[in-house]
Amino acid sequence: MAKRDEQIPATRRDFLSALIKVWGVLTVVPFGTVVTKFLSPVKDSDIVRETMKVAMVSEIAENSAKIVRFNKDPVIVVHTMGGQFKAFSARCTHLGCVVQFKGDEGLPHFDCNCHGSQFDMSGKNIAGPAPRPLLPLKVTIEESSVLVTKV
């Protein structure tokens, strides 16, 4: 006669013990991940740059603009009708929406489509709810490259 494997029913204590072990793992693993990331070396992509090449001079036509990422923030680089390059933070100072360059509608200006703020070519707020001007950035031209530097 073959013996059947007898299974012992799990007790409430066994269930709670297993539940506490799973809970412990689920709380320790994220903590360990954060500690490991803190102790590991910084990746090149996480380095905050003070100056960055954003475009070639030939890539931005006169009276047009290009929005680029500078570190983790959007920056708008404008090539004015006079041939000058200007750069500003592309975040509207009202609620942080990204502004657009409007060069074909009368006077060139920056326009926030979210709440109607407008900024002139010096970054000064001229209409809408924006409380402050756009943050200016320094632009230099080196060997046909447009470089932007935080001020």
Side-chain angles (χ1 to χ4, degrees):
M1 225 169 152
K3 266 182 152 179
R4 281 188 354 183
D5 289 335
E6 293 184 26
Q7 291 183 349
I8 302 173
T11 64
R12 187 178 304 163
R13 179 177 294 187
D14 294 336
F15 173 74
L16 290 175
S17 176
L19 189 64
I20 289 172
K21 288 177 186 175
V22 168
W23 177 79
V25 168
L26 291 176
T27 54
V28 169
V29 168
F31 179 74
T33 304
V34 169
V35 169
T36 303
K37 190 170 184 177
F38 177 76
L39 295 175
S40 65
V42 177
K43 296 177 191 169
D44 188 37
S45 63
D46 291 343
I47 294 174
V48 176
R49 300 190 193 304
E50 293 297 318
T51 300
M52 190 170 129
K53 175 184 170 186
V54 294
M56 298 298 289
V57 171
S58 59
E59 291 177 12
I60 306 173
E62 279 195 13
N63 199 33
S64 66
K66 180 178 183 180
I67 296 177
V68 295
R69 183 175 293 242
F70 187 143
N71 294 323
K72 294 183 179 182
D73 298 318
V75 169
I76 189 161
V77 181
V78 181
H79 191 176
T80 65
M81 287 296 285
Q84 183 181 15
F85 282 89
K86 294 183 176 188
F88 299 93
S89 168
R91 294 236 182 252
C92 178
T93 57
H94 177 232
L95 291 177
C97 297
V98 176
V99 298
Q100 301 295 320
F101 175 70
K102 302 289 183 178
D104 54 352
E105 301 172 9
L107 289 175
H109 65 280
F110 302 101
D111 190 32
C112 178
N113 294 327
C114 294
H115 301 104
S117 293
Q118 292 181 350
F119 304 88
D120 66 11
M121 290 305 293
S122 64
K124 182 181 173 192
N125 45 329
I126 55 175
R132 294 178 309 281
L134 294 174
L135 179 70
L137 300 163
K138 181 181 175 188
V139 178
T140 53
I141 308 295
E142 289 183 11
E143 300 175 7
S144 298
S145 296
V146 181
L147 303 174
V148 174
T149 306
K150 286 193 174 187
V151 178

